[in-house]
Amino acid sequence: MDQRLIVVRLSEVKWSCREEDILVAYSLGSCVGLVLWDPVRRAGGMAHIFLPTASGSSASSISKGSRPDDRTPGKYADLAVPYLISRLEEIGCRKERLVAKVAGGAHVIAGLSSPIGDVGALNVRLVEEMLRKAGIPIIGRDVGGTYGRTMRFYVNSGRVTISSVSHGEKDL
Amino acid sequence: MNFREFKKCAASGLENARRTLSILTGRDVTINSQSMGFVELGDIPALSGSPEDVVLASYVTFDGDARGQLMILFKPDSAEKLVSVLSPHLTSHVDPKDMSRLLDSTVSEVANIVGSSVLNAIADGAGMTLKPSPPILIREMSGAILESVVATCSRGADRVYVVDIKFSAGEGKALFEIVFLPDICTNSSGFLGYGSVAWTNG
């Protein structure tokens, strides 16, 4: 079986039920890579999340009823998580069977500050809060730190690997 | 300051930097390619080639009459080449375990010269005061650096204004690269024609 590599670029969300597919988010810095997988349907998806919320920085400001831009559905954590769940349900996944793996949210440049605070940490917090609200368990987590990560997701097995310059490659 | 004036000032700063580096290295440093314009968010991590490529980057922010961020990115082999050009006697005598420190200090020095030339030319051309921060040196995947920087300054926009210049020294291969992100949403009312720029929000 020839494997097919699908790149999930910044602010994108992609999903698949093809056993040969590998989804990859390269060089996550403050961005968060989120993988959701249904082990029964053997299908899943990945979001490359850029910022915490469309309307602000904190969990309390999650925008109600907002819809993600079709070109960049992974841009905001508060919109990307429900978007990915919906797309997976459309291909036969069941929300109650989904499991999550989360990576990224680093603070790569010491001293780099943003008007909304530590973007990486806020991204992680929002993604995890959205997963908790959706009742999806997080079964793998590699977040924070000061280094970039590449996240690969093997759709058929649910395997997720994380590689980085300073920490090599590992299974999540 | 409108876009045309900004481009003129930036070009003048880059020419200063190029001339200084040519004198410093004794080689004809040239500008390989340059682009100034809006870049889609999705294209940012691959701005400097493969996003997984490790680079040595000097990062500076500036404020004052305008704000922005300036990065000077070196591929590790380019940094070594630069050191061998600038300090040929040192590299033949240096202990390999001290090489990384030598690379870091040379890259910082070159980045300082290039960064100051560009910022000074823009400040002089626009009659502004720009205050740069002390440079921070990072060794990391280029994509992780670029996306982290853009996350702090994009303010939710789908595109950011980027000045991307690649320099080479003779053989055609890029020696280093400048990525300059002027903050057009700055508090400066004049910088880059604030108020007249079509800034797309997501």
Side-chain angles (χ1 to χ4, degrees):
Chain A
M1 178 184 66
D2 288 336
Q3 292 188 313
R4 187 172 68 137
L5 193 69
I6 299 171
V7 179
V8 184
R9 302 193 322 150
L10 186 66
S11 298
E12 285 185 342
V13 176
K14 290 187 178 170
W15 56 95
S16 168
C17 53
R18 293 172 62 163
E19 61 179 317
E20 70 271 26
D21 285 352
I22 302 168
L23 307 186
V24 57
Y26 288 117
S27 62
L28 299 162
S30 59
C31 288
V32 164
L34 166 67
V35 165
L36 295 181
W37 188 61
D38 180 338
V40 175
R41 176 71 176 92
R42 305 195 86 73
M46 180 188 277
H48 187 152
I49 295 164
F50 183 51
L51 291 169
T53 71
S55 54
S57 60
S58 67
S60 61
S61 63
I62 291 174
S63 41
K64 301 259 185 316
S66 298
R67 285 175 52 81
D69 186 317
D70 285 341
R71 291 171 304 134
T72 55
K75 190 168 170 184
Y76 300 108
D78 58 336
L79 304 180
V81 176
Y83 180 87
L84 178 54
I85 294 169
S86 295
R87 299 290 81 73
L88 292 178
E89 286 177 328
E90 285 172 5
I91 59 167
C93 295
R94 299 254 300 265
K95 187 175 165 185
E96 60 272 21
R97 292 195 303 243
L98 292 175
V99 291
K101 294 188 180 182
V102 181
H107 193 71
V108 170
I109 305 175
L112 181 65
S113 63
S114 137
I116 61 168
D118 181 344
V119 176
L122 285 167
N123 279 340
V124 172
R125 201 175 107 205
L126 256 294
V127 166
E128 294 188 343
E129 183 164 336
M130 295 302 294
L131 290 171
R132 187 179 54 75
K133 283 182 177 168
I136 297 172
I138 299 170
I139 61 166
R141 187 176 186 272
D142 181 27
V143 300
T146 56
Y147 55 93
R149 299 163 169 92
T150 289
M151 185 182 208
R152 286 182 178 79
F153 165 45
Y154 298 78
V155 171
N156 187 48
S157 64
R159 181 184 178 211
V160 171
T161 63
I162 304 295
S163 52
S164 65
V165 177
S166 50
H167 293 67
E169 184 172 298
K170 65 179 178 186
D171 273 66
L172 189 63
Chain B
M1 184 183 224
N2 61 35
F3 276 101
R4 188 173 296 173
E5 286 163 347
F6 169 76
K7 283 185 176 184
K8 202 171 151 192
C9 295
S12 154
L14 291 164
E15 176 55 23
N16 286 350
R18 188 201 66 75
R19 224 178 297 130
T20 307
L21 284 169
S22 293
I23 293 166
L24 206 65
T25 58
R27 298 190 176 196
D28 186 21
V29 173
T30 54
I31 292 174
N32 250 10
S33 67
Q34 54 180 309
S35 62
M36 299 187 197
F38 285 97
V39 176
E40 298 283 333
L41 280 183
D43 294 329
I44 291 287
L47 206 61
S48 179
S50 165
E52 280 194 300
D53 281 354
V54 177
V55 294
L56 200 53
S58 171
Y59 170 76
V60 171
T61 60
F62 60 88
D63 57 17
D65 293 331
R67 282 192 199 155
Q69 311 182 69
L70 183 80
M71 279 157 288
I72 306 190
L73 310 173
F74 297 79
K75 298 267 160 62
D77 58 337
S78 300
E80 282 174 31
K81 186 174 154 196
L82 197 66
V83 172
S84 69
V85 169
L86 289 173
S87 320
H89 305 299
L90 262 182
T91 47
S92 54
H93 295 100
V94 77
D95 190 315
K97 68 175 186 288
D98 292 329
M99 192 60 190
S100 162
R101 219 149 28 105
L102 185 61
L103 280 182
D104 289 2
S105 90
T106 306
V107 163
S108 294
E109 197 50 49
V110 170
N112 208 16
I113 291 166
V114 173
S116 305
S117 296
V118 175
L119 289 181
N120 287 342
I122 292 169
D124 290 348
M128 293 190 300
T129 303
L130 299 181
K131 297 179 213 157
S133 68
I136 297 169
L137 202 67
I138 317 138
R139 195 184 298 265
E140 188 46 83
M141 296 179 197
S142 63
I145 296 172
L146 290 165
E147 64 150 56
S148 297
V149 167
V150 169
T152 66
C153 69
S154 72
R155 287 181 173 81
D158 286 331
R159 303 182 302 156
V160 288
Y161 192 80
V162 177
V163 180
D164 181 16
I165 316 289
K166 292 178 175 66
F167 287 85
S168 71
E171 297 86 351
K173 193 179 165 194
L175 187 61
F176 65 91
E177 177 174 0
I178 295 180
V179 177
F180 180 44
L181 298 158
D183 182 354
I184 68 162
C185 299
T186 179
N187 54 0
S188 162
S189 59
F191 192 54
L192 289 186
Y194 181 76
S196 62
V197 176
W199 187 254
T200 314
N201 271 309

